[in-house]
Amino acid sequence: MLDFLSSFSGCITRIEAAISQVIEYDEKKWKEYVPLPLEFVCSPDKQRFDVDESKIEANLDFLIDQLETHEKILPPWGKSYYKGDLKPAYNEWIGVWTLKALWYLDNYGRIKK
């Protein structure tokens, strides 16, 4: 059992190191297609992976700001990618990104019910 726990702890350490290499903490870049803090800690009852708590809160605030500004979450890669038969997919991605944002906000108790 101790070997398993030691091995599990080692895995968590490696995952934390990998996340720290890719996670984007620079809030100015969050409108781009980058790995956001909430994508690694989608709920407060999940493993933290050493993700900065203040950045999780800031990421939640960012989503609220986007929803208050646009009433939806726009895909960070933009609309110009969707031409011809792909045009309807842009609105589908808006739905996916908006639902994901609402799910994060609900998980963290940021939606008034």
Side-chain angles (χ1 to χ4, degrees), residues 19 22-27 29-30 32 34-37 40 55 59:
I19 289 171
V22 297
I23 194 168
E24 184 56 68
Y25 281 130
D26 184 352
E27 296 175 32
K29 295 182 180 179
W30 285 356
E32 300 172 23
V34 296
L36 303 172
F40 297 102
K55 291 300 183 176
N59 201 180

Side-chain angles (χ1 to χ4, degrees), residues 23-27 30 36-38 41 48 50-63 108 110:
I23 194 168
E24 184 56 68
Y25 281 130
D26 184 352
E27 296 175 32
W30 285 356
L36 303 172
L38 286 167
V41 188
R48 306 308 279 192
D50 205 29
V51 174
D52 187 320
E53 179 70 28
S54 68
K55 291 300 183 176
I56 292 171
E57 292 299 319
N59 201 180
L60 291 164
D61 293 340
F62 170 79
L63 293 177
Y108 280 90
R110 294 286 203 95

Side-chain angles (χ1 to χ4, degrees), residues 45-91:
D45 59 346
K46 301 293 183 194
Q47 172 68 36
R48 306 308 279 192
F49 296 116
D50 205 29
V51 174
D52 187 320
E53 179 70 28
S54 68
K55 291 300 183 176
I56 292 171
E57 292 299 319
N59 201 180
L60 291 164
D61 293 340
F62 170 79
L63 293 177
I64 290 169
D65 180 62
Q66 292 298 299
L67 288 168
E68 288 176 346
T69 301
H70 305 288
E71 299 180 344
K72 58 191 165 231
I73 303 294
L74 301 172
W77 50 81
K79 190 174 185 174
S80 63
Y81 177 78
Y82 300 94
K83 297 178 179 163
D85 292 341
L86 285 178
K87 279 186 178 183
Y90 181 71
N91 288 329

